[in-house]
Amino acid sequence: MHAAKTSMRLADQLYLIAHEERTGRSRVHPRAAGLGLAAGLVGELMLLGRVTMDGGELRVVSREPPGDALAHHVLDLLVAQWQHRDLRTWLAFLAQDAIAKVGERLLRAGAVEAVVRRRFMGPTQTTYLPVNADQRNAAVWAGVRLANLLVEQGGGLAPAEGVLAGLVLATGLTRHVLWDFPLHRPGLANLHTAVEFLPAELRELVEHTQTSVGAVLAAGRR
């Protein structure tokens, strides 16, 4: 059962961590969640060797279609707009519908259900929510597993887990993963180490995401 859960893609795990499993509401500002998920989608392509980054610029290094439809879609966008390379511009663009796109992918995988809420005199809103016990357990496990890795393995995580930890930090989700201070105290120290140990391009992805999140939240307070 855990093997199936750990096979989830980067952005899928971040989505489940970022949303309350019983209400589907975002645990952080939706714009922060959107940027984090956008970074997760870019990170998936980097982990697959389709995209690389240097100096804040993305570059497609392989056009081989990924097996996942959403990753394929994002790669096609990067190829079609090859002249636009600035990561933060791409994060802002992908963030516009990243929550919905990743939610739809989780729906196709059977990890969530689509719950449609009708607002009085307003548009309907679709939330992607783990409904049954297995779905909820898998949603909770995404955060528990990361916390366990940070506590038990320290900063030396595999790149996929390390960038997930970095995006949790970048989007303000740390306290929702490492919530038990006595138990998780080693994980809090190891979180920053995990980011430092990332390959340079993935560490840069995390850093630019954190900067983008900070900028949009600061703008919202003005």
Side-chain angles (χ1 to χ4, degrees):
M1 187 174 180
H2 286 179
K5 295 170 186 174
T6 57
S7 67
M8 282 188 178
R9 295 176 175 87
L10 172 61
D12 293 353
Q13 293 182 72
L14 187 63
Y15 183 102
L16 294 175
I17 293 170
H19 291 84
E20 296 176 358
E21 66 272 9
R22 294 195 175 273
T23 66
R25 294 189 180 93
S26 179
R27 291 187 164 108
V28 294
H29 193 289
R31 295 184 70 183
L35 286 166
L37 291 173
L41 293 172
V42 172
E44 289 177 12
L45 293 175
M46 294 171 72
L47 290 166
L48 289 169
R50 304 301 196 273
V51 175
T52 188
M53 184 173 60
D54 183 51
E57 293 193 348
L58 291 173
R59 182 165 58 90
V60 176
V61 293
S62 172
R63 298 188 180 190
E64 180 183 353
D68 172 65
L70 179 53
H72 191 171
H73 170 70
V74 175
L75 180 61
D76 283 349
L77 289 174
L78 293 171
V79 169
Q81 300 293 330
W82 60 268
Q83 70 275 25
H84 299 296
R85 295 185 177 181
D86 180 67
L87 172 66
R88 291 180 63 179
T89 299
W90 275 109
L91 291 181
F93 175 74
L94 295 172
Q96 296 177 60
D97 61 358
I99 293 175
K101 293 292 188 185
V102 177
E104 290 165 2
R105 182 167 71 179
L106 285 165
L107 176 66
R108 292 193 295 271
V112 296
E113 304 294 337
V115 178
V116 179
R117 295 184 173 94
R118 300 187 181 278
R119 295 180 174 178
F120 180 71
M121 300 294 288
T124 60
Q125 180 183 24
T126 301
T127 302
Y128 298 96
L129 185 67
V131 174
N132 61 48
D134 286 343
Q135 290 173 340
R136 285 177 177 162
N137 288 340
V140 171
W141 178 247
V144 170
R145 173 178 173 270
L146 181 59
N148 289 344
L149 287 172
L150 287 167
V151 170
E152 296 168 6
Q153 295 189 22
L157 303 183
E161 282 76 22
V163 74
L164 175 61
L167 293 179
V168 163
L169 175 64
T171 52
L173 285 163
T174 303
R175 66 187 180 89
H176 297 287
V177 173
L178 302 171
W179 53 269
D180 186 331
F181 184 74
L183 177 64
H184 294 149
R185 185 172 183 175
L188 289 167
N190 293 334
L191 178 58
H192 294 274
T193 306
V195 175
E196 291 172 5
F197 282 0
L198 282 172
E201 60 180 7
L202 292 173
R203 186 171 64 250
E204 192 175 346
L205 173 65
V206 170
E207 291 168 351
H208 281 283
T209 304
Q210 191 165 26
T211 300
S212 294
V213 169
V216 299
L217 295 183
R221 290 193 291 266
R222 292 172 188 168

